[in-house]
């Protein structure tokens, strides 16, 4: 098997994939470490409002989901030669609008889900507080995810890098970091003032 | 297709999968709130959580994106059969995942030490993230391929499936295995 000789397989060779990705993965880990330190600093807030910890993975995971749906679509359209990155391209805007509609739906559901769980275990925050936290952070995260997807896909395309190798990692990590920072800042603002 | 049609087709295709991802995220949130109790025993554990969760997105998200494009281009068939491209992609993602686990443990320890916060010993942090990373890899690769192939054969656009599958499996199994790895290391250390 041609594992590390890339001649026949081109960009599908394991050696090629590792060489392209590993340095990027290390850089991204360094960036996301910032989110980790933010989380550790918020340990006290999380101890006081346990429901926030329950929201954390869904919050940052969902931002990554929305961003990767958009960037996977953009990069496949690039491969198929149907994306132009023209700001007047109405199909591009239909994609973006769908992302925001999905975000509004899902983050409302997240607030309600966590609220119901809070009732069950008796450490309730009010539904209003949870909706403000979830939707304000969620829609900001969606906006960050959209900008990051478009910039990353277009950037790799211009640099001649296969967007499949770069966009989803870049988008999910940018969203992880900013998502964590935005979510904890908004929670602190709503709950502590 | 008209913009309105595109809007609704994305919304309809993505919503059910995102709803499942949301459930997965909530489950792993419950595990995370349980993990908060172990933070006192292993200072630095909380710092590694986002980085560890991000890894599965990085490594397996790109594996999934590659497979989705391969399916679109007809380079990969939605079956478990020998395919040199697929094998290379899988092996590359395994090597990336294991290598990155070691990097994450070392980095977290290094940064915390530089900040003067006295993290748990280097071996302990690397051990936790390496055990969790290996267990996650097996489930992620198997689950990702199974679900992508099944979705593609059912007429779903694999591009819309990759992100949610990766984050859901990664959230649930990543956190569960991180929790399990903490338990294992707790037993080994004491």
């Amino acid at each position: 098997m041609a594992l590390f000789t890339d001649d026949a397989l081109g960009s599908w060779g394991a050696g090629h994939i590792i060489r392209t990705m590993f340095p990027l993965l290390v850089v991204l880990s360094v960036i996301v470490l910032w989110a980790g330190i933010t989380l550790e600093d918020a340990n006290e807030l999380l101890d006081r409002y346990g429901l926030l910890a329950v929201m954390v993975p869904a919050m940052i995971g969902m931002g990554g989901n929305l961003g990767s749906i958009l960037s996977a679509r953009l990069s496949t359209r690039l491969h198929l030669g149907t994306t132009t990155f023209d700001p007047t391209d109405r199909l591009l805007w239909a994609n973006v609008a769908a992302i925001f509609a999905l975000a509004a739906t899902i983050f409302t559901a997240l607030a309600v889900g966590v609220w119901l769980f809070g009732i069950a275990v008796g450490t309730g925050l009010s539904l209003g507080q949870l909706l403000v936290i979830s939707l304000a952070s969620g829609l900001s995260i969606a906006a960050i995810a959209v900008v990051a997807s478009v910039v990353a896909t277009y950037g790799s395309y211009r640099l001649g890098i296969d967007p499949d190798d770069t966009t989803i990692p870049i988008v999910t990590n940018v969203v992880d970091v900013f998502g964590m920072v935005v979510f904890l800042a908004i929670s602190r603002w709503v709950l502590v003032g | 297709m008209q913009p309105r049609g595109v809007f609704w087709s994305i919304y309809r295709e993505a919503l059910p999968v995102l709803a499942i991802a949301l459930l997965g995220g909530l489950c792993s949130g419950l595990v995370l709130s349980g993990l908060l109790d172990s933070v006192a025993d292993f200072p630095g554990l909380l710092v590694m959580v986002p980085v560890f969760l991000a890894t599965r997105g990085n490594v397996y998200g790109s594996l999934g994106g590659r497979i989705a494009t391969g399916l679109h281009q007809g380079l990969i068939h939605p079956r478990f059969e020998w395919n040199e491209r697929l094998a290379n992609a899988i092996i590359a993602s395994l090597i990336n995942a294991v290598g990155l686990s070691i990097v994450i443990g070392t980095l977290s320890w290094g940064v915390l030490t530089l900040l003067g916060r006295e993290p748990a010993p280097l071996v302990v942090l690397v051990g936790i993230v390496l055990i969790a990373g290996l267990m996650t890899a097996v489930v992620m690769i198997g689950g990702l391929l199974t679900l992508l192939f099944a979705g593609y054969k059912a007429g779903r656009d694999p591009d819309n499936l990759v992100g949610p599958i990766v984050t859901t499996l990664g959230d649930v199994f990543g956190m569960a295995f991180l929790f399990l790895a903490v338990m294992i290391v707790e037993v080994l250390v004491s």
Side-chain angles (χ1 to χ4, degrees):
Chain A
M1 179 174 71
L3 243 192
F4 294 94
T5 53
D6 302 338
D7 311 346
L9 291 168
S11 67
W12 284 86
H16 176 91
I17 300 174
I18 296 170
R19 276 196 306 276
T20 318
M21 288 213 52
F22 199 75
L24 176 70
L25 292 170
V26 171
V27 172
L28 292 171
S29 300
V30 174
I31 298 172
V32 181
L33 212 56
W34 181 29
I37 292 171
T38 316
L39 184 63
E40 175 128 321
D41 286 342
N43 201 356
E44 224 169 279
L45 187 71
L46 294 179
D47 265 345
R48 200 160 127 207
Y49 302 102
L51 283 182
L52 292 182
V54 180
M55 288 172 89
V56 164
M59 197 49 123
I60 56 177
M62 206 49 73
N65 283 337
L66 295 168
S68 47
I69 290 176
L70 185 59
S71 35
R73 292 183 63 86
L74 292 176
S75 97
T76 295
R77 289 179 67 197
L78 270 180
H79 278 291
L80 299 175
T82 50
T83 284
T84 50
F85 287 111
D86 180 352
T88 60
D89 180 359
R90 294 182 58 210
L91 287 182
L92 186 62
W93 287 106
N95 278 281
V96 171
I99 296 296
F100 276 101
L102 287 166
T105 315
I106 287 294
F107 287 110
T108 305
L110 174 63
V112 174
V114 171
W115 177 66
L116 289 175
F117 177 73
I119 293 177
V121 297
T123 55
L125 294 169
S126 78
L127 181 57
Q129 286 172 318
L130 287 168
L131 275 173
V132 170
I133 292 175
S134 185
L135 280 172
S137 336
L139 292 175
S140 316
I141 292 171
I144 296 166
V146 166
V147 172
S149 308
V150 174
V151 170
T153 312
Y154 186 63
S156 343
Y157 170 65
R158 290 302 296 264
L159 292 172
I161 305 169
D162 184 347
D164 281 338
D165 289 336
T166 52
T167 45
I168 291 182
I170 290 173
V171 170
T172 43
N173 286 278
V174 166
V175 175
D176 275 359
V177 173
F178 286 101
M180 186 73 85
V181 173
V182 167
F183 169 65
L184 290 173
I186 290 179
S187 303
R188 191 167 280 140
W189 178 68
V190 171
L191 299 173
V192 184
Chain B
M1 212 193 300
Q2 289 304 300
R4 188 179 292 272
V6 169
F7 174 92
W8 284 112
S9 83
I10 300 172
Y11 189 85
R12 266 198 307 268
E13 278 212 18
L15 192 61
V17 204
L18 287 178
I20 296 169
L22 180 62
L23 277 181
L26 284 171
C27 291
S28 86
L30 293 178
V31 179
L32 176 62
S33 60
L35 199 64
L36 286 179
D37 297 335
S38 301
V39 170
D41 299 337
F42 298 112
L45 187 58
L46 215 47
V47 174
M48 298 201 300
V49 168
V51 197
F52 178 71
L53 288 185
T55 324
R56 39 82 202 174
N58 295 338
V59 176
Y60 307 109
S62 99
L63 176 65
R66 180 176 285 280
I67 293 171
T69 301
L71 286 169
H72 275 298
Q73 293 179 327
L75 292 172
I76 288 180
H77 306 290
R79 284 186 295 273
F80 283 96
E81 60 180 12
W82 175 253
N83 178 318
E84 208 164 2
R85 288 190 173 84
L86 190 56
N88 271 265
I90 289 173
I91 289 170
S93 65
L94 259 177
I95 295 177
N96 277 333
V98 169
L100 207 58
S101 294
I102 299 170
V103 171
I104 290 170
T106 313
L107 263 178
S108 306
W109 181 85
V111 168
L112 287 170
T113 306
L114 280 179
L115 291 173
R117 295 202 193 175
E118 300 187 359
L122 176 61
V123 184
V124 171
L125 291 186
V126 171
I128 290 176
V129 75
L130 192 59
I131 293 171
L134 276 173
M135 291 193 287
T136 311
V138 175
V139 175
M140 290 299 289
I141 293 174
L144 185 60
L145 288 178
T146 309
L147 293 171
L148 270 186
F149 287 174
Y152 185 74
K153 281 191 275 196
R156 293 297 187 121
D157 183 346
D159 281 341
N160 289 344
L161 300 175
V162 171
I165 290 175
V166 167
T167 20
T168 310
L169 288 184
D171 275 352
V172 175
F173 290 100
M175 281 306 297
F177 287 142
L178 196 60
F179 195 79
L180 195 61
V182 168
M183 298 290 143
I184 293 173
V185 171
E186 228 159 28
V187 171
L188 290 179
V189 166
S190 63

